[in-house]
Amino acid sequence: MQYLKALHKWSSVIVGIQLLLWLISGFYFVVMDHQGARGSAYRVRPPVQEIDHQRLVEPALILSQQQGSVALQQISLLGVPYYLLTHEQGLYRHFKNVYSLVNAYTGELTRINKQLASAVALSSYNGPGTIVSAVKLEPPVADLPKEKNTVWQVNFDDDINTSVYLDAGSGHVIGHSNDDKRFADFFFMLHFMDYGSVKGFNNIQIIFFAVVTLFLSLTGFIWTINLIANGRYALPFVGGKKAIELIDNNDLSIGERSFSPQQTLLDGLIEHDIALPSSCGGGGTCGRCKILTDPAVVAGAADKHYFTDQELALGYRLACQHKGTEVSRLKLLDAVNARKHQLTLVSNEFISPSIKELRFKLCDASPLEYRAGAYMRFFIPAAKGCSVPLRLPEAFQPHWHHIEQLEYQHLACSRSYSLANYGGQQELVFTIKYQSAPNNRVLPGVGSSYLCNLEEGQNIEAAGPFEDFYAENVDEGQQGKTRVMIGAGAGMAPLKALIYEQLEKFNNKQPLYFYFGARSEQDLIYYREFSDLAQHYDHFHYLPTLSRASDSWQGARGYVQEGVKAKLASLNNLENIEFYLCGPANMMSDTIAMLTASGVKPANIAFDDFSR
């Protein structure tokens, strides 16, 4: 089915392109000048002159002299009578024909030369131009794609570049062509897929397109049947909510809950105050919202990535990848109570060219208790409109790439963001990277666009906080471990919260190192704040690293994981060190690989998945 889907999508691209060409060419046919498209703007019928029948040579004599003739016809060129003898006759005029042309007065064989062709062409032309060239052409001829005979092309220097075509054997004027006709012929080619210039429907391109369209229809039908059979296709106006039986981790029934067919199981559970772990907000990239359901539910690509074949056979799935229409019963493996809160934005400011610090407070003004490193899931409402480029402070504007406004439309969704402070405080602080559009074909991030464009005083709903990434407190009198925080970019949020919790709330005296990576000085958020902390606390060490530093930067250069690797040798007893990581996926994977290779046990490495 996966290969069938890929073929279906590529077939739809082919059909879509041709449909677009049909629309464009069809519109041209509606608005074009039909008279001009014929190419006969300056064409006239040559004048008819009297013929002296007394002077005509007997046709029988001509036939006896020109052996192998199958037909004889009297014609007139420039007022002179000729006998046109046909030796080989095609079904149509443009098919291959063999002629002889004999002067009817003298009986002499005549050839259509350049002078005669020019004179005949001029007799059929009444435009303002003069003859600039006369060329004898063998087929194929661009303006006459069906022509199989040798022709004379007589060109005029008028405003539409008229060309007159004559049959080189008979001297007949085949037709006129000009820029208007050539332009119309181009759209004719597009509309009829006549890329081989056969001037008709009977071409290989039409046959190929018909086969592709038939294949697209069949694969679409098969795909739709497959979706219906697996419960993954439901019309929004058919039926209502579906009741699903929920089972807890102890195999006890929680009862039935109703789910909307438009919601994923992850978001549907939130509506019933049940939260599953999810740091990616439903994108299928963190693999944490695990459920157990009927094995018959079709596994998607994300399911197959995070579960073994044996787990898939047992019914393990990701809740963010499936909707209520697919299941009737599911077991919750790691569910927690989803506390929902109404938050009011207190402040919204840039702290780097791409990162904003957002401060919220609960609408009821009560503080929340949670451990540092927690995150909250924001509910982004459905929207349709224009993504608005963020207004930067003047200091950041030279470093910001212009973002064009983009039309977008999305359904209601949720996104998760880490808190940058620990619990018990009046405000909830977040550092959110605005996921801009890399080009005008890709939309900016839905969650970051909405949140970063909120204005002070506006409200939004969020669930949590959820505590999946935290550091345990050490009781007084016990020997704690050295802690090393490693982060980059917007991964600052949970690490900042952990650092302040250790220094202020727990008053932990064990060595605490903070390695933070950024591109340039402009991207080094909270630099002054952490420098002051390092001055105030002797056991806190702040080590920023820049990968694209200016010449005036006097600190470490390169990537943050490289700086950590260089310092590992100076850290005593790796078994007594805990590492906490948060940042871009590549940074974390490289750092984890480096720490593991250096002998650090996985139990001493904690990380916050930054795929949100």
Side-chain angles (χ1 to χ4, degrees), residues 556-587:
R557 297 172 182 266
Y559 293 106
V560 65
Q561 59 267 32
E562 297 170 352
V564 174
K565 184 177 181 180
K567 295 289 185 180
L568 275 181
S570 64
L571 298 175
N572 297 323
N573 191 6
L574 289 179
E575 292 185 357
N576 198 43
I577 302 175
E578 292 178 346
F579 295 87
Y580 296 83
L581 286 62
C582 187
N586 289 339
M587 183 278 288

Side-chain angles (χ1 to χ4, degrees), residues 365-396:
S366 60
L368 281 177
E369 290 292 343
Y370 54 89
R371 287 183 285 193
Y375 68 90
M376 297 189 74
R377 188 179 301 166
F378 286 84
F379 299 100
I380 310 300
K384 180 180 181 181
C386 220
S387 63
V388 182
L390 297 177
R391 291 189 292 254
L392 287 172
E394 185 175 349
F396 290 145

Side-chain angles (χ1 to χ4, degrees), residues 74-89:
Q74 183 181 320
I75 64 172
S76 177
L77 296 178
L78 302 176
V80 178
Y82 291 90
Y83 290 123
L84 180 65
L85 292 93
T86 303
H87 304 286
E88 183 179 329
Q89 188 171 24

Side-chain angles (χ1 to χ4, degrees), residues 134-186:
V135 185
K136 197 173 186 179
L137 302 176
E138 298 293 335
V141 181
D143 285 343
L144 306 171
K146 292 184 177 182
E147 188 61 51
K148 304 299 182 183
N149 300 291
T150 305
V151 299
W152 279 98
Q153 179 193 58
V154 182
N155 301 308
F156 292 81
D157 61 352
D158 54 36
D159 56 329
I160 53 176
N161 297 312
T162 299
S163 295
V164 179
Y165 290 93
L166 295 85
D167 188 299
S170 66
H172 284 145
V173 175
I174 299 172
H176 284 217
S177 185
N178 54 41
D179 288 344
D180 292 336
K181 184 177 183 300
R182 295 180 187 109
F183 196 62
D185 286 344
F186 173 76

Side-chain angles (χ1 to χ4, degrees), residues 85-103:
L85 292 93
T86 303
H87 304 286
E88 183 179 329
Q89 188 171 24
L91 182 61
Y92 299 104
R93 187 215 59 77
H94 59 272
F95 281 17
K96 183 65 178 177
N97 292 280
V98 179
Y99 299 112
S100 292
L101 194 63
V102 177
N103 189 305

Side-chain angles (χ1 to χ4, degrees), residues 9 56 102 105 108 164 242-243 250 327 352 406 418 532 539 562 604:
K9 290 177 181 178
L56 293 179
V102 177
Y105 285 152
E108 297 177 351
V164 179
K242 180 179 180 180
N250 297 315
V327 303
S352 85
L406 296 171
S418 295
D532 292 342
H539 60 289
E562 297 170 352
N604 286 337

